[in-house]
Amino acid sequence: MRIRVNGETFDAAVHPGTLLVDWLRDGLGLTGTHVGCTTSQCGACHVMVDGEVVKSCTILVGQCDGADVTTIEGLGTPEALHPMQEAFRTAHGLQCGFCTPGMVMAGIAIARTHGAHVSDETIRHELEGNLCRCTGYQNIVAAIRLGARAMAEAGLIPAAENA
Amino acid sequence: MPAFQYLRPASLTEAIGAFRGDAAYLAGGHTLIPAMKTGLRAVERLIDLSAIPDLSGIERRGDRMVVGAMVRHAAVAHSPLVQATIPGLARLAAGIGDPQVRRRGTLGGSLANNDPAADYPAAALALDATIETDRGTHLADDFFQGMFATALAEGELIRAVAFRIPQAFAYAKFRHPASRYALAGVAVARFGEGPRVAVTGVAAGVFRWTEAERAIAAGALASLGPLERDDLIGDLHASAEYRAHLARVMLERALEELVR
């Protein structure tokens, strides 16, 4: 199995029935992707597979053969954060930080799907698959609102009005 | 998870040929993989269907909307063809699970699993669907056989689902706030010969509420009595009585949407 992770191609020498999150964390040491619930509910394990944000605890490595995976480590660098990461810092969209990698991934998916001017109502609706045990949702919503606009300014999504 | 063999065949023939022993087909995996992780389900051979091209696609075929078994919920929700032809079905798909579930979960997987609180079985039953498999065709009226039970034989594989295009269709559900499954979901389809009403979440399996169909056809909804069945579900989330009440409320909400 050949899988690209954060731009680098790996020969995944693991059983194809391994959960993607386990290979990312234990095999590649990419521990930014978190395991919260293991029951497919909390969203801490969200990663992108071929650009689509999915639960890495509910997808097998075999299902990702030939795919392009992006984890939180692949979004930006400490010196040049992804606009959505920067927005989480600016808006203080985290408390303990455990859910944050998944929230940032969800935020990017929301911005790509709903555009730069996504409403708070839509953000809340689209965050149904992400749980924050600190219940810091106000600032998470604010961060995604800010991040969506910043992604448009950075040319990552169209700047035009979108539903 | 206990060890299992993982296969990813590139054709339908190969997939069907690989099904032997304690095997399972893997569609979106958003029920099966969690069940395997918690030990509720163990398989020796897991046959991933995602590389088979024949199971995707959405097309209109005469008076039917045909959706491939591996079509994801998000694809149905966003399909211009579904939105234009059966908009209520697109809305139903947009309300399944959460966004990440909708990017992976599939129509065929949902019907084959037949969770008693799932949304798609209600749509298939109300929309008089036919379920096309590698061995033939099942009518929705015969397909759903109670909790997690269907007419599928061992190893039989769903290829596509052909929904009959109605004059109007609406689905209303009262969602469990954490799981987003239906505590009560009611699908109503209007056809020339009369309405079809399917209910999910309240009993051991999806069923047609024939008393409601007759009352709607007669324009006498006020005369419809309370939902009575001997297999209503009562659990820590909602009593059987409350679910029956919710079914009535969801029926009225679906009907309101139908006339809009």
Side-chain angles (χ1 to χ4, degrees):
Chain A
M1 295 178 293
R2 290 175 71 82
I3 303 174
R4 268 176 85 78
V5 181
N6 300 335
E8 196 180 336
T9 302
F10 293 89
D11 286 309
V14 289
H15 188 274
T18 307
L19 296 172
L20 177 60
V21 69
D22 289 341
W23 180 61
L24 292 172
R25 289 177 56 86
D26 303 338
L28 302 185
L30 295 170
T31 53
T33 301
H34 291 168
V35 179
C37 67
T38 78
T39 55
S40 315
Q41 293 172 308
C42 79
C45 70
H46 287 169
V47 300
M48 287 179 208
V49 175
D50 289 333
E52 284 204 317
V53 174
V54 299
K55 302 173 198 272
S56 64
C57 80
T58 314
I59 183 166
L60 307 176
V61 172
Q63 292 176 283
C64 300
D65 189 11
D68 195 342
V69 176
T70 305
T71 70
I72 191 76
E73 290 91 343
L75 287 181
T77 64
E79 297 74 32
L81 294 175
H82 185 282
M84 189 59 74
Q85 291 175 304
E86 190 67 54
F88 269 73
R89 182 160 75 182
T90 305
H92 194 61
L94 62 148
Q95 290 179 39
C96 84
F98 191 85
C99 71
T100 312
M103 289 288 181
V104 169
M105 288 289 171
I108 292 170
I110 291 168
R112 286 181 181 166
T113 308
H114 297 281
H117 301 283
V118 58
S119 70
D120 283 10
E121 189 188 353
T122 300
I123 293 171
R124 287 177 185 278
H125 182 69
E126 292 286 304
L127 279 181
E128 284 188 332
N130 293 76
L131 300 179
C132 167
R133 288 294 298 270
C134 308
T135 70
Y137 292 105
Q138 294 288 11
N139 285 0
I140 291 168
V141 171
I144 293 173
R145 189 198 311 128
L146 189 66
R149 284 152 182 72
M151 280 175 69
E153 280 162 23
L156 296 174
I157 58 170
E161 191 71 35
N162 198 332
Chain B
M1 291 188 285
F4 57 88
Q5 193 183 355
Y6 169 90
L7 304 162
R8 199 186 197 190
S11 76
L12 206 58
T13 316
E14 213 185 315
I16 294 155
F19 197 101
R20 58 181 172 273
D22 188 4
Y25 293 123
L26 177 66
H30 274 50
T31 299
L32 181 56
I33 293 175
M36 288 170 67
K37 286 198 291 185
T38 52
L40 289 169
R41 182 86 160 85
V43 299
E44 286 169 6
R45 292 164 78 84
L46 194 60
I47 304 163
D48 182 358
L49 305 176
S50 63
I52 303 172
D54 320 5
L55 302 176
S56 55
I58 302 174
E59 61 170 2
R60 186 168 177 164
R61 210 188 289 157
D63 69 341
R64 299 267 166 179
M65 170 73 63
V66 184
V67 183
M70 283 296 284
V71 174
R72 318 271 176 189
H73 307 330
V76 172
H78 295 137
S79 161
L81 185 60
V82 178
Q83 287 173 352
T85 315
I86 317 177
L89 184 62
R91 282 196 290 274
L92 175 145
I96 299 172
D98 61 43
Q100 286 65 239
V101 169
R102 293 194 288 275
R103 290 189 193 108
R104 299 296 300 174
T106 65
L107 172 60
S110 174
L111 295 196
N113 188 51
N114 193 22
D115 188 294
D119 302 307
Y120 264 137
L125 191 55
L127 289 168
D128 197 14
T130 53
I131 292 95
E132 300 171 2
T133 76
D134 62 306
R135 306 187 194 174
T137 298
H138 299 278
L139 300 177
D141 278 322
D142 306 322
F143 183 81
F144 302 105
Q145 301 184 350
M147 196 170 285
F148 300 111
T150 69
L152 291 171
E154 190 69 10
E156 187 173 0
L157 181 60
I158 299 176
R159 300 168 59 120
V161 180
F163 298 98
R164 200 174 138 207
I165 297 167
Q167 295 167 349
F169 172 79
Y171 176 68
K173 80 164 158 174
F174 191 93
R175 308 195 315 167
H176 184 290
S179 74
R180 266 81 68 177
Y181 275 97
L183 281 177
V186 176
V188 182
R190 192 166 64 221
F191 291 103
E193 77 276 11
R196 288 171 65 98
V197 177
V199 183
T200 187
V202 312
V206 66
F207 64 92
R208 276 178 71 186
W209 191 358
T210 50
E211 295 86 354
E213 292 175 0
R214 283 197 292 271
I216 296 163
L221 196 63
S223 71
L224 177 64
L227 174 62
E228 283 176 11
R229 289 178 65 88
D230 52 19
D231 65 345
L232 291 175
I233 298 173
D235 57 22
L236 77 167
H237 304 303
S239 67
E241 187 186 22
Y242 183 53
R243 277 188 165 86
H245 170 74
L246 283 177
R248 175 60 183 260
V249 176
M250 292 306 112
L251 172 67
E252 291 182 17
R253 285 190 190 170
L255 288 170
E256 275 172 27
E257 195 183 316
L258 206 62
V259 297
R260 274 208 298 269

